[in-house]
Amino acid sequence: MYLIAASFLSFFLLFFYGMFWGPEPLGIEVEYAVGAVRITSVSPESPAMRVGLQPGDAIVAVDGQAITG
């Protein structure tokens, strides 16, 4: 019984931690195509804007793995 209660408590603590102090959103909107993900908009002052992503850019691979579908 205590194990189940501890599991639920841990889940909710992790959930709220991620919601309030988790990673910041990337700040992009995308459309999916075969073999690529095309960026349609970039939010100002977002991590995507800071690294130089712009609307119209295509992401064709992530960590060396090609996007296939």
Side-chain angles (χ1 to χ4, degrees):
M1 180 84 133
Y2 291 112
L3 182 61
I4 294 171
S7 297
F8 277 104
L9 180 61
S10 298
F11 168 77
F12 284 110
L13 289 174
L14 184 60
F15 175 76
F16 285 113
Y17 173 80
M19 202 162 90
F20 293 110
W21 297 286
E24 127 182 62
L26 293 178
I28 59 174
E29 290 185 23
V30 297
E31 65 181 23
Y32 300 97
V34 176
V37 174
R38 188 157 315 274
I39 298 172
T40 57
S41 68
V42 179
S43 300
E45 302 301 320
S46 67
M49 180 68 79
R50 291 193 294 265
V51 299
L53 293 178
Q54 298 176 352
D57 288 350
I59 301 170
V60 296
V62 176
D63 288 335
Q65 297 290 322
I67 297 173
T68 58

